[in-house]
Amino acid sequence: MIRSLSRLILCLAVSGMAHAEGDSKRAANTVVLDETGVKNLRIETVEVEETDFEATIFSLGRIEAIPSKVAAVSTRISGRIVELKVAPGDTVKKDDEVAKIESRMPGDPPPVIPLKAPLGGLVTHVDARLGDPLDPEKALLEITDLSEVYAVARVPEHQAGRMKPGTEAHIKVAALPHEKFKGELLRFGTSADKESGTIDAIFRLTNPGGLLRAGMRAEFSIVMSKRSNVVSVPRAALQGESSNRFVYVKDFDLPNAFVKTQVQVGEINDRFVEITSGLLPADEVVTRGAYSLSFAGASSVSLKEALDAAHGHEHAEDGSELTPEKKAAMEGKKGGAAHDHGHEHEHEEEGASPMWMYAAIVLFVLLLISLFSKKRGIADEDAAAAKPAEKEAQ
């Protein structure tokens, strides 16, 4: 009975210490901002969810025009350019008039022949000036249809063996940092590069708005496999070093409050990070502004102030509920400080953390139990010794 009671008291004490320690950690790991702070840091959050996670490999390459979508404008007769209506960078439609050629055939005036665009697209090259002679063997200008382009990646040969036509790639172009493109593998190049051990992997991708141009450098994240129902977050949400990874989770109760949460990380691709523990679906993690939150600890709003405003009653400094006992202890500390500022050691004892208070109570109770058990044992021994004496007297 006594042992069971002591164990129960010990469990309650440990639970109380863990609760106090949890409150302390919450206060240390919670950043509370005001509305201005949220706007200044441009905080954005996303909801954690289970998605299809892609395993990718990285590659570099370039953008190329599709050969079948490049056309030259030329003439079948010799003559002189008397009108040039386009320049490099202009966009034309099919059958638009792009130039006029004055024929060398006799006539007064000599016949003038219009030249038209064989396809719509971007004028990528002009190789003539007004008044220049023009022969049938020479092209006047070049037009490229950029509605679709090739993205050519230099892929290691051992990785190319795992890729099949239809493999997807997420493509970024240095000249367009805010744009993202998706390509589909068509085929590989006709030969490999012996020095680098790579081969060209040719992806076709649409080019809305004609933003992509031939020769642009590109970065490829080629999708090699997918896994379903994986908890992941955007890479921007992940903070810390490889041995200490964490994210900021939006507090479910307090407005403008964000809790620093330790996480275990699995695979990482170009866009997302697999989270193996630490988060649950429906948690909201900070993406934009996550790095800045690490330096926002000195906020004008404390956890206590935020909880007081949200719940309508007073809380302790660590964010825990302010019980009558805690309130009395806090008032006692304030009174002791006002009475004598010189007794620093006494104030340290009065300001002892709840953990030490629980430990002291447990030790005191265990001491009482030990003394009670000892006295009971002595009484039992005396009673046992008295029984033989009574038998002899009889």
Side-chain angles (χ1 to χ4, degrees), residues 323-391:
T323 62
E325 292 79 8
K326 283 187 179 181
K327 191 170 184 179
M330 290 171 61
E331 290 175 353
K333 292 175 188 177
K334 292 178 181 177
H339 181 265
D340 187 1
H341 291 284
H343 298 285
E344 294 180 359
H345 182 70
E346 291 179 6
H347 288 303
E348 288 175 1
E349 291 180 350
E350 290 175 359
S353 67
M355 183 174 67
W356 291 108
M357 292 172 62
Y358 285 119
I361 292 172
V362 171
L363 291 174
F364 179 71
V365 172
L366 292 177
L367 179 61
L368 290 178
I369 293 172
S370 177
L371 291 173
F372 179 76
S373 300
K374 188 174 182 180
K375 287 182 179 180
R376 184 174 178 179
I378 293 172
D380 291 342
E381 289 177 1
D382 291 342
K387 286 182 179 180
E390 289 177 0
K391 289 181 179 180

Side-chain angles (χ1 to χ4, degrees), residues 46-68:
V46 298
E47 186 174 301
V48 178
E49 57 184 1
E50 293 182 346
T51 60
D52 292 338
F53 188 86
E54 300 172 341
T56 62
I57 61 170
F58 179 79
S59 181
L60 295 173
R62 63 195 180 278
I63 303 298
E64 291 184 359
I66 298 176
S68 61

Side-chain angles (χ1 to χ4, degrees), residues 138-165:
K138 183 179 179 181
L140 172 62
L141 52 88
E142 180 184 82
I143 299 172
T144 305
D145 178 5
L146 293 174
S147 59
E148 287 186 325
V149 295
Y150 285 159
V152 183
R154 304 288 291 179
V155 179
E157 292 180 60
H158 70 280
Q159 297 286 8
R162 300 169 53 198
M163 299 165 55
K164 299 179 180 179

Side-chain angles (χ1 to χ4, degrees), residues 108 178 291 313 359 391:
D108 188 19
H178 301 297
Y291 180 74
H313 60 268
K391 289 181 179 180

Side-chain angles (χ1 to χ4, degrees), residues 91-303:
T91 300
V92 298
K93 297 178 181 179
K94 184 179 179 181
D95 294 329
D96 280 355
E97 189 175 284
V98 295
K100 287 184 178 181
I101 304 297
E102 184 183 77
S103 173
R104 292 177 181 171
M105 297 174 63
D108 188 19
V112 174
I113 301 170
L115 298 182
K116 296 183 178 182
L119 54 72
L122 184 74
V123 178
T124 51
H125 183 67
V126 176
D127 193 25
R129 298 167 297 177
L130 193 65
D132 279 352
L134 188 64
D135 295 319
E137 295 83 10
K138 183 179 179 181
L140 172 62
L141 52 88
E142 180 184 82
I143 299 172
T144 305
D145 178 5
L146 293 174
S147 59
E148 287 186 325
V149 295
Y150 285 159
V152 183
R154 304 288 291 179
V155 179
E157 292 180 60
H158 70 280
Q159 297 286 8
R162 300 169 53 198
M163 299 165 55
K164 299 179 180 179
T167 296
E168 293 182 351
H170 304 289
I171 302 169
K172 295 181 181 179
V173 176
L176 304 167
H178 301 297
E179 301 290 336
K180 296 179 180 179
F181 304 90
K182 182 181 289 187
E184 183 177 298
L185 180 64
L186 287 181
R187 61 180 181 274
F188 291 100
T190 55
S191 61
D193 187 318
K194 295 181 180 179
E195 293 184 3
S196 63
T198 61
I199 188 169
D200 286 349
I202 302 170
F203 293 83
R204 180 192 291 267
L205 63 156
T206 58
N207 183 23
L211 298 176
L212 295 172
R213 305 295 172 87
M216 286 183 172
R217 292 179 298 172
E219 297 178 356
F220 297 75
S221 292
I222 303 171
V223 180
M224 306 301 288
S225 64
K226 292 184 180 181
R227 290 184 290 128
S228 301
N229 302 321
V230 176
V231 176
S232 62
V233 298
R235 289 186 62 167
L238 188 66
Q239 302 297 313
E241 300 176 351
S242 57
S243 59
N244 181 31
R245 296 293 197 182
F246 62 89
V247 298
Y248 283 99
V249 179
K250 185 177 180 181
D251 193 281
F252 68 92
D253 186 24
L254 296 178
N256 303 327
F258 307 94
V259 183
K260 182 180 178 181
T261 304
Q262 301 293 329
V263 294
Q264 295 295 324
V265 174
E267 290 190 60
I268 301 177
N269 62 27
D270 62 311
R271 299 178 298 162
F272 294 97
V273 178
E274 178 187 6
I275 303 297
T276 57
S277 67
L279 294 178
L280 294 173
D283 283 342
E284 287 191 52
V285 297
V286 178
T287 51
R288 185 176 185 179
Y291 180 74
S292 301
L293 275 178
S294 301
F295 305 95
S299 171
S300 58
V301 182
S302 68
L303 179 60

